[in-house]
Amino acid sequence: MTTVIETCRIPPSQGGAAELLLPLSFFDINWLHFNHTRRLIFYSHPCSEAEFSNTIVPNLKHSLSLTLKHYLLVAANLLYPLHTDVSKPVFHYVSGDSVSLTIAVSGLDFEELVADHARESDQFYDLLPRMPAMSEDENYKIIPLISLQVTLFPGRGICLGLNNHHSLGDDRSIIGFIKAWAMINKSGVEVFVSRNEESLPFFERPISKDSSRLNGIFWDVMKKIPLKSVATHPLPTDRVRASFILRQSDIKMLKNRILSARPNIDRVSTFVVATAYVWTTMAKSLGPAGDEDEHEVFFFWADGTGRRNALFDPPVLMNYFGNCLVVGVARAEYRKLAEEDGFVAAAEAIVDEIKTKIYNGDEFLKSPEKMLTDTAKYKDMRGLTITGSPKFDYTEADFGWGEAEKVEFLSLDEGNSIFLSNSSDGDLVIVTSLTKEEMKTFASMFATSLDM
């Protein structure tokens, strides 16, 4: 259904640095063995194949090259040492390195792909670029960090597919790159004043008196795990994906429900309301994983840039490019989540974790190595993980085709995860991926609980 027209390599344009060599921080090392992050951004932009081939594709290639000049790390490789007791992994860009860009045309149903109802997950992988193969020299395994694909739906729209190694950067970093590319493509010049007036990316890894120790701790754990080539297209998924809307009126109602039950609770944000509601709905719809007294966990990631913390003074710069995420973990017994007021119990658990671990600058990043031990602590508990954040809105990347109509995170097809984003009218969009039967039950319970 989708035909690849060409796969090419796009190098940074002239004028940038000839080389970039960066060590990985413990933030980056933590993601070495995770699966790639896979995103699709859909744009409603009717155009012909002739316009696509003759105008849109050449402009995208040119603007990508201009953008990479300022984002050299995106064109770099991850060098993973063959002798892990002697060396550590590094990011390395040298003149001549480039990014893989695939151009394709699809006969898939665009309207079906951007719909909210349950759709087969497997079809979306036609729009996701393959990662170039890992290679090897005498000292390192050489791992490409990103690949891109632009797919035309003739007369209907365009899809931008991104496939990147998570060690390259978190959502704040990747969306900064995409927005910069979009702005240059739209304007035709190297403009880097985004809506948030963010400046050029800063690549130097954050340093503190504890950085060396922490980097060593994380590397000592990660180097014991065999490095494997990641399957970027894990097919078949045997899943469907669907979007659910929490309208502003729903969010207000849910906030009032919490405050009525727990008048003294504070920081009842939209994030708390949305994630608590989905967590309890997911737990109830799936049923107990074992004994009803067993704990369930909700994992969420807090952006560490610009935030007062116990490790970096001053805080990590807002325009830092890399990973700067700290995990928050809320936990509650299944039977409490399944009770009539389980939503309130979930909100309390999330608020408590945010207050004590995230908003408390003396505690935030106090002991990052706990991320490693916590992973082992919770591995036998059923967990729900949130991917993405309404703060980092990929729909805002306007390549000259207007804001995106839909964003899909294909990474949701592994495990229990949700993706949050904003809709154009201010509502909250929740995307998840489940089996057909699980999705049917979840969708019914999601709507029923709101009506109640």
Side-chain angles (χ1 to χ4, degrees):
M1 295 292 287
T2 300
T3 303
V4 172
I5 304 302
E6 68 167 317
T7 297
C8 57
R9 307 287 309 190
I10 306 297
S13 62
Q14 294 182 352
E19 185 175 14
L20 179 67
L21 183 66
L22 287 173
L24 276 68
S25 76
F26 66 88
F27 288 120
D28 306 317
I29 294 170
N30 189 49
W31 297 101
L32 279 174
H33 300 289
F34 275 73
N35 288 335
H36 288 193
T37 304
R38 307 183 289 269
R39 309 169 180 86
L40 301 177
I41 310 174
F42 291 89
Y43 293 88
S44 178
H45 181 68
C47 73
S48 65
E49 290 190 50
E51 179 189 352
F52 182 68
S53 298
N54 298 331
T55 303
I56 291 177
V57 169
N59 288 344
L60 285 170
K61 290 179 179 179
H62 178 63
S63 58
L64 177 57
S65 181
L66 292 176
T67 309
L68 290 172
K69 179 174 73 174
H70 302 281
Y71 282 84
L72 289 180
L73 188 57
V74 176
N77 290 296
L78 169 63
L79 304 186
Y80 190 94
L82 299 178
H83 308 290
T84 55
D85 290 330
V86 177
S87 305
K88 294 180 180 179
V90 294
F91 296 121
H92 190 210
Y93 166 81
V94 292
S95 183
D97 284 341
S98 56
V99 168
S100 174
L101 174 65
T102 296
I103 307 299
V105 176
S106 182
L108 292 171
D109 186 340
F110 185 89
E111 302 294 346
E112 173 75 3
L113 292 171
V114 300
D116 290 337
H117 62 255
R119 295 139 297 147
E120 297 286 346
S121 291
D122 288 8
Q123 63 184 323
F124 289 89
Y125 287 83
D126 265 13
L127 313 174
L128 184 73
R130 300 278 175 178
M131 286 293 288
M134 180 170 60
S135 57
E136 194 172 304
D137 64 16
E138 66 269 21
N139 296 312
Y140 293 97
K141 292 183 178 180
I142 303 169
I143 305 169
L145 290 170
I146 195 169
S147 61
L148 305 166
Q149 179 169 323
V150 180
T151 303
L152 172 69
F153 296 81
R156 187 57 190 91
I158 295 172
C159 176
L160 172 61
L162 298 89
N163 194 346
N164 70 272
H165 200 289
H166 205 314
S167 67
L168 173 62
D170 53 27
D171 264 334
R172 174 186 288 278
S173 297
I174 301 301
I175 198 172
F177 162 67
I178 295 300
K179 283 186 175 181
W181 181 16
M183 291 185 64
I184 292 177
N185 190 76
K186 183 177 181 178
S187 66
V189 294
E190 295 174 54
V191 178
F192 275 95
V193 181
S194 74
R195 293 182 179 184
N196 299 320
E197 297 185 349
E198 294 165 346
S199 57
L200 290 169
F202 182 79
F203 295 118
E204 293 299 322
R205 306 293 94 173
I207 298 294
S208 77
K209 64 181 188 310
D210 236 10
S211 294
S212 179
R213 181 185 70 84
L214 288 168
N215 293 344
I217 289 174
F218 276 75
W219 178 233
D220 283 344
V221 172
M222 295 301 165
K223 71 183 182 182
K224 295 174 183 175
I225 303 172
L227 182 68
K228 299 178 181 178
S229 295
V230 177
T232 61
H233 290 61
L235 300 172
T237 63
D238 297 321
R239 290 196 175 212
V240 295
R241 53 180 45 245
S243 301
F244 301 87
I245 309 299
L246 274 181
R247 309 202 180 280
Q248 294 182 53
S249 57
D250 297 327
I251 293 168
K252 183 177 180 180
M253 177 268 292
L254 291 171
K255 285 183 178 180
N256 289 337
R257 190 188 297 181
I258 294 172
L259 294 172
S260 296
R262 304 289 190 274
N264 296 325
I265 195 172
D266 60 356
R267 297 188 184 277
V268 183
S269 64
T270 297
F271 174 85
V272 168
V273 165
T275 53
Y277 184 73
V278 175
W279 185 20
T280 50
T281 304
M282 187 72 75
K284 292 175 183 178
S285 66
L286 294 177
D291 189 273
E292 292 201 359
D293 288 330
E294 289 185 11
H295 279 82
E296 307 246 338
V297 289
F298 171 62
F299 299 99
F300 60 94
W301 296 94
D303 176 23
T305 59
R307 192 189 296 274
R308 187 174 78 84
N309 62 85
L311 187 60
F312 301 109
D313 186 17
V316 178
L317 294 174
M318 295 291 286
N319 61 328
Y320 173 69
F321 190 102
N323 290 284
C324 192
L325 296 174
V326 176
V327 67
V329 185
R331 56 186 290 180
E333 294 174 2
Y334 171 83
R335 62 176 181 78
K336 288 187 177 180
L337 296 178
E339 289 173 357
E340 188 174 343
D341 65 345
F343 160 68
V344 176
E348 279 189 300
I350 295 170
V351 166
D352 184 61
E353 180 73 357
I354 291 174
K355 283 177 59 178
T356 58
K357 302 288 179 62
I358 309 300
Y359 287 140
N360 185 341
D362 294 328
E363 291 296 322
F364 189 67
L365 280 176
K366 185 175 181 179
S367 301
E369 63 270 28
K370 286 184 178 179
M371 287 194 286
L372 296 170
T373 55
D374 283 352
T375 301
K377 186 192 305 182
Y378 301 120
K379 67 182 178 66
D380 293 328
M381 299 182 191
R382 185 168 66 187
L384 177 67
T385 303
I386 181 170
T387 300
S389 165
K391 287 170 52 181
F392 308 126
D393 193 350
Y394 286 85
T395 64
E396 294 179 352
D398 180 1
F399 285 82
W401 319 318
E403 292 196 351
E405 183 166 342
K406 196 73 178 289
V407 179
E408 292 284 355
F409 267 55
L410 301 193
S411 306
L412 299 182
D413 290 330
E414 297 155 331
N416 290 332
S417 300
I418 59 172
F419 167 58
L420 294 185
S421 65
N422 295 312
S423 69
S424 57
D425 52 6
D427 297 329
L428 199 64
V429 182
I430 299 149
V431 185
T432 191
S433 168
L434 298 165
T435 68
K436 282 184 180 180
E437 289 305 313
E438 288 171 345
M439 186 68 78
K440 192 179 298 184
T441 306
F442 176 82
S444 173
M445 195 164 291
F446 186 94
T448 302
S449 297
L450 282 180
D451 292 339
M452 291 173 61

